[in-house]
Amino acid sequence: MNRQTRSRVATFVGAMVATMVGLPLVALAASTPLVEFLFEQNLTNSGSLGGNGRFVTNGVVAPAFTGADVGIGGGYAMDNTSAIMNGAGGYVRLDDDNRLDGLKSLTIAFWYKTTNSLFYGPRLANKRNNLAGFEAYVSSEKTWQLFGGDGAIYKTPGSTANDQYGYRTKWVFFAATWNIANGIARFYAASQEEDLAFVNQVTATGLESLALANTAHLAIGANQTGGSAFSGLIDNLRIWGSTNDASGVLSEAEIRDLFIEDNGGPLESPASVPLVEMLFDNTLTNSGAIGGTASWVTNYGVFPVFTADGLGASGFPGDYAMDNNSATNMKVRAGYCSLPDSYHLDGLKSLTVAFWYKTTNTLIYGPRMVTRRDLSGLGFEVYAGGAKAFHFYASDIPGHYPIVSSGDNDQYGQLDKWVFAAATWDAPNRDVRFYVGTKDGPLSLVSQPMPDALTDFGITNASPLVIGAGSRVDYGSSAFDGWIDNVRLWGSQNDSSGALSMEALEVWFKADHRRSRGTVIILR
């Protein structure tokens, strides 16, 4: 992995959002690994134990570094393809450190990639001497196992079968935790294209600690002597542990954070916590900073529903979307999603609106995607400006309502395909930008039109936020006929910070490719 893309101690500007709107800041503590090998053309242990590893040859060509942009998330990785799967092979050796002995809790995580079928035996991480120490190894094509021993007693908790473990030619993420005191071991799996999954939990009691491993070194990619080797690529291997208590066990949230971090962000991203985040995953809870619960609203006898499981923007199981196909056509009166009024959305000086949509009908002028306007017209809305364009409306005082257009872009007009649209408006700097992207293409800047001067987005007199239709006079008018997913709004009542950069938007755009649960931010 390219270390320039990440930072172990990363603080999101969620604190900025919390301060801006007077909300409490929730944080999760980050754990520093004892061992961390990123394989960025060096064998430095960037974990808290420090030290340097070295490549060891065992009768075959020694391990090496891959070329650039081969590792997970870009960068380099350890190339052990010269090894024989579960046979002889080179490995990385980190000389013995007593601080890895006598652990009472443990977390091991790493990425691997191979073109070979997996079967019982290959070792990925090994600090074991006979019945003392620990290791993580393959137990079948789709299962993994831990070993832990105190010198006399040993236990081997294992995972259940998971398809991701058995993938070939894909980067696969493995993580396992083990609390020796209560015996609970938990296994996790993910891949470069699929989200982190909890695999199983098993209890393996009878040990007090993973006792002194008799000066055994840490071997990566094979056992202590270069046997039982793993043939493939290895990246971002980390080990956490404690000789005192259960603090060496990472939570699922921390492991998810690690997975997201390795897989392309968003740590070190300027992306902030949204004020509004409607994921429509079989719930109408606003998972954004201001909270609240939305509702479906019936209009002319029709109302939205949730799609079936797996039909959201990511296409993965557990991902739903808002289905507004009951609108029967574009710009008709129909049902919509309504989030109750929040003063946090009043008087914004900068704003970002982003969402995914999919339709089988050609866009026309008028269908509203996201709108918050009162009877005098104060507020804002984003709506279709034709078959291949979107408009951004804003009003700070009655009678003054600048409207800017994205101009035509073919991606906006794609049918039966999930399209990502975003628009930012920085009122103090008179800066408006439109963006578009799809799952099979990058996020791109569409246009940067110059808007009229605007003080803010007005106080809208207790107007709700409406998704999928208009909200000025006749709620439910100018409806959008199709599916909507992952609607998010960022904003600031003080300055330009509510207008996200393209880099920040790209974090959310990429996260949504993996699943609808775009809230991948862990505040530290």
Side-chain angles (χ1 to χ4, degrees), residues 451-473:
D452 290 346
L454 188 74
T455 302
D456 55 40
F457 291 93
I459 308 298
T460 60
N461 300 317
S463 295
L465 180 74
V466 173
I467 299 171
S471 70
R472 186 183 177 206
V473 178

Side-chain angles (χ1 to χ4, degrees), residues 1-17 257 260-274 443 490 497 499-511 514 518-524:
M1 175 188 177
N2 187 343
R3 191 174 177 83
Q4 293 178 352
T5 67
R6 65 177 289 274
S7 169
R8 183 181 302 108
V9 182
T11 300
F12 282 88
V13 295
M16 174 198 73
V17 176
D257 180 27
I260 294 295
E261 176 184 352
D262 284 349
N263 203 16
L267 292 188
E268 231 179 43
S269 161
S272 62
V273 177
L443 181 69
W490 294 261
S497 60
L500 267 61
S501 67
M502 182 171 175
E503 290 78 14
L505 281 169
E506 196 166 30
V507 168
W508 298 88
F509 171 68
K510 289 181 177 179
R514 292 192 287 266
T519 308
V520 292
I521 300 284
I522 300 295
L523 297 179
R524 297 179 176 179

Side-chain angles (χ1 to χ4, degrees), residues 197-272:
F198 168 65
V199 177
N200 70 298
Q201 175 177 303
V202 63
T203 301
T205 57
L207 297 172
E208 291 188 7
S209 68
L210 305 176
L212 299 179
N214 300 322
T215 69
H217 55 264
L218 176 68
I220 301 170
N223 65 17
Q224 294 283 299
T225 58
S228 300
F230 173 82
S231 178
L233 309 182
I234 302 172
D235 206 0
N236 294 8
L237 182 139
R238 302 177 178 97
I239 299 173
W240 293 257
S242 172
T243 57
N244 299 315
D245 51 35
S247 60
V249 172
L250 267 63
S251 68
E252 183 171 347
E254 289 176 301
I255 292 173
R256 180 180 298 281
D257 180 27
L258 182 73
F259 159 70
I260 294 295
E261 176 184 352
D262 284 349
N263 203 16
L267 292 188
E268 231 179 43
S269 161
S272 62

